[in-house]
C-alpha cells in the first residue's frame, strides 16, 4: 500500500501549476451528456485555464457513487448487465487557450494495490466500462468485475512539447463483500450514536 501511495504521489507531482478541487460536477460534461449529467469529477485546472476531469458512476443506477470527496470512488463487484461491470469511468476536458495541447488517458492494469498504467487511445470525452470488449484487448489483461480491485485512471493534459501540464487522477476501489458489510454496519452504528446523542441533548 505504501508503494501505491508513493506512485500516486509521484503522478500528482507531475501536475505543474495545476490546482485540484474536491469532486464536483463538470459543466462541459453535463452539456455533452445530459442523460448522465451530474457525474462527480476530479476537475483539475492548469495555469492556462484549461481543465481536465476524471470521474466514475454506477453503470445504470444513477450518476453518483460513494467516494472520499477528492479522488477515490467505491464501487460494487459484479455485472449490471451480462456484459457490463457495475460501474463506468468518465473523462472530459476543455482545452481553452492551449494551442497544440492534447489529452492522454492512462488506465491501471493491476487490480491489486500496485499501479501499472497503460496509455489508452481516445478521440473525445466519453464514458467507458471496464467490461467493454475493446478494453481487454487495448489494455492487455482481462478485468474481473467479480473480484476486489483497485483501478487508477490518469487523464493528462499535454503541451505541444510533450510536457505534462496537469493530471486528473482517480481510483475506483471494489472492496470485498465482507468489507462492504462492515462499512455498512459502521455507518449504521454512527447514525445510531448520533441519534442517541441528539436525544440526550434534547432531554
Amino acid at each position: 500500500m505504501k508503494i501505491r501511495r508513493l506512485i500516486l504521489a509521484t503522478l500528482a507531482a507531475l501536475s505543474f501549476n495545476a490546482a485540484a478541487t474536491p469532486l464536483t460536477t463538470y459543466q462541459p460534461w453535463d452539456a455533452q451528456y445530459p442523460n448522465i449529467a451530474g457525474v462527480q469529477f476530479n476537475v483539475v485546472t492548469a495555469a492556462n485555464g484549461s481543465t481536465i476531469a476524471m470521474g466514475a458512476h454506477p453503470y445504470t443506477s444513477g450518476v453518483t457513487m460513494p467516494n472520499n470527496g477528492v479522488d477515490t470512488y467505491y464501487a460494487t463487484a459484479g455485472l449490471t448487465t451480462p456484459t457490463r461491470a457495475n460501474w463506468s469511468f468518465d473523462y472530459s476536458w476543455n482545452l481553452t487557450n492551449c494551442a497544440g495541447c492534447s489529452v492522454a488517458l492512462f488506465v491501471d492494469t493491476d487490480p491489486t494495490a500496485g499501479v501499472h498504467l497503460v496509455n489508452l487511445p481516445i478521440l473525445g470525452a466519453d464514458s467507458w466500462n471496464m467490461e467493454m470488449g475493446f478494453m481487454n484487448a487495448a489494455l492487455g489483461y482481462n478485468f474481473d468485475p467479480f473480484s476486489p480491485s483497485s483501478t487508477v485512471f490518469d487523464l493528462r493534459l499535454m503541451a505541444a512539447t510533450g510536457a505534462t501540464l496537469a493530471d486528473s487522477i482517480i481510483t475506483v476501489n471494489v472492496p470485498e463483500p465482507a468489507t462492504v458489510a462492515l462499512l455498512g454496519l459502521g455507518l449504521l452504528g454512527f447514525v445510531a450514536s448520533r441519534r442517541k446523542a441528539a436525544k440526550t441533548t434534547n432531554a
Side-chain angles (χ1 to χ4, degrees), residues 29 32-33 36 41 89-93 124-128 132:
W29 173 268
Q32 188 169 351
Y33 295 98
I36 45 175
F41 285 89
F89 65 96
D90 315 294
Y91 55 91
S92 185
W93 61 82
D126 212 337
S127 176
W128 288 349
M132 287 179 169

Side-chain angles (χ1 to χ4, degrees), residues 120 132-142:
L120 195 60
M132 287 179 169
F134 75 91
M135 293 288 290
N136 291 337
L139 296 174
Y141 86 115
N142 185 19

Side-chain angles (χ1 to χ4, degrees), residues 35-36 39 56-65 75-90 127-129 132:
N35 60 318
I36 45 175
V39 170
H57 74 279
Y59 182 62
T60 58
S61 59
V63 294
T64 58
M65 196 154 62
T76 56
L79 296 173
T80 300
T81 72
T83 58
R84 293 291 181 267
N86 279 335
W87 56 277
S88 294
F89 65 96
D90 315 294
S127 176
W128 288 349
N129 191 286
M132 287 179 169

Side-chain angles (χ1 to χ4, degrees), residues 45-187:
T45 303
N48 60 18
S50 296
T51 53
I52 52 174
M54 282 290 323
H57 74 279
Y59 182 62
T60 58
S61 59
V63 294
T64 58
M65 196 154 62
N67 57 71
N68 70 349
V70 182
D71 58 7
T72 304
Y73 299 79
Y74 305 99
T76 56
L79 296 173
T80 300
T81 72
T83 58
R84 293 291 181 267
N86 279 335
W87 56 277
S88 294
F89 65 96
D90 315 294
Y91 55 91
S92 185
W93 61 82
N94 183 358
L95 304 187
T96 303
N97 301 320
C98 201
C101 289
S102 61
V103 177
L105 174 65
F106 292 84
V107 181
D108 188 5
T109 63
D110 185 349
T112 68
V115 178
H116 181 254
L117 294 175
V118 172
N119 187 201
L120 195 60
I122 54 177
L123 297 175
D126 212 337
S127 176
W128 288 349
N129 191 286
M130 293 298 285
E131 282 298 283
M132 287 179 169
F134 75 91
M135 293 288 290
N136 291 337
L139 296 174
Y141 86 115
N142 185 19
F143 179 78
D144 183 356
F146 294 97
S147 296
S149 59
S150 182
T151 308
V152 174
F153 300 90
D154 179 5
L155 188 67
R156 300 180 189 175
L157 173 62
M158 315 289 290
T161 60
T164 300
L165 299 176
D167 284 78
S168 174
I169 302 171
I170 65 166
T171 302
V172 177
N173 288 328
V174 177
E176 295 180 17
T179 305
V180 174
L182 283 172
L183 245 155
L185 286 173
L187 285 171

